[in-house]
Amino acid sequence: MTTTHPAAEHDPRPAGVDAPAVPSAARRLLDVLRRVPALTLIGMIRAYQSVISPMTGPTCKYYPSCSQYALTAVRRHGALRGTGLALWRLLRCNPWSLGGVDDVPPARHTH
């Protein structure tokens, strides 16, 4: 004899339809937690821009400045890829570089 849970007998979903994997409140919490690294990096960049950068003056040979590039990259691409783009930009900002306009690439769209 098999026994079933009483709630399973009165499940209004059709057979074969599973419950949502994550409730909406938990999904929102996960979304916030995923943004924490990017928000932390943005806060660090903004602190640099408001405290340290004014002491050094305009020294970047690129437009936008390296810190503004990093800020845009993290906002547009997230913490991981944005940090990678910002680090690549910092490596290119050297005495042998010609500088110039260097915009952050557009975000990749997945379908």
Side-chain angles (χ1 to χ4, degrees):
M1 180 166 129
T2 61
T3 58
T4 59
H5 191 274
E9 295 175 3
H10 303 292
D11 193 353
R13 292 184 300 255
V17 176
D18 295 330
V22 180
S24 62
R27 185 176 306 267
R28 284 192 300 267
L29 178 61
L30 287 173
D31 289 341
V32 168
L33 291 176
R34 283 188 194 117
R35 287 187 292 216
V36 167
L39 293 174
T40 302
L41 288 169
I42 289 169
M44 292 168 56
I45 294 167
R46 296 296 292 155
Y48 166 82
Q49 287 178 330
S50 62
V51 176
I52 298 171
S53 186
M55 290 188 264
T56 63
T59 58
C60 194
K61 49 175 53 177
Y62 282 104
Y63 179 83
S65 68
C66 292
S67 62
Q68 188 61 42
Y69 183 95
L71 189 65
T72 303
V74 170
R75 284 181 176 159
R76 188 175 292 172
H77 295 282
L80 189 61
R81 185 156 192 258
T83 300
L85 288 167
L87 289 174
W88 179 242
R89 167 70 176 272
L90 288 172
L91 287 172
R92 290 180 288 144
C93 192
N94 58 61
W96 303 279
S97 168
L98 296 176
V101 175
D102 181 28
D103 290 321
V104 177
R108 296 178 184 170
H109 294 287
T110 57
H111 295 282

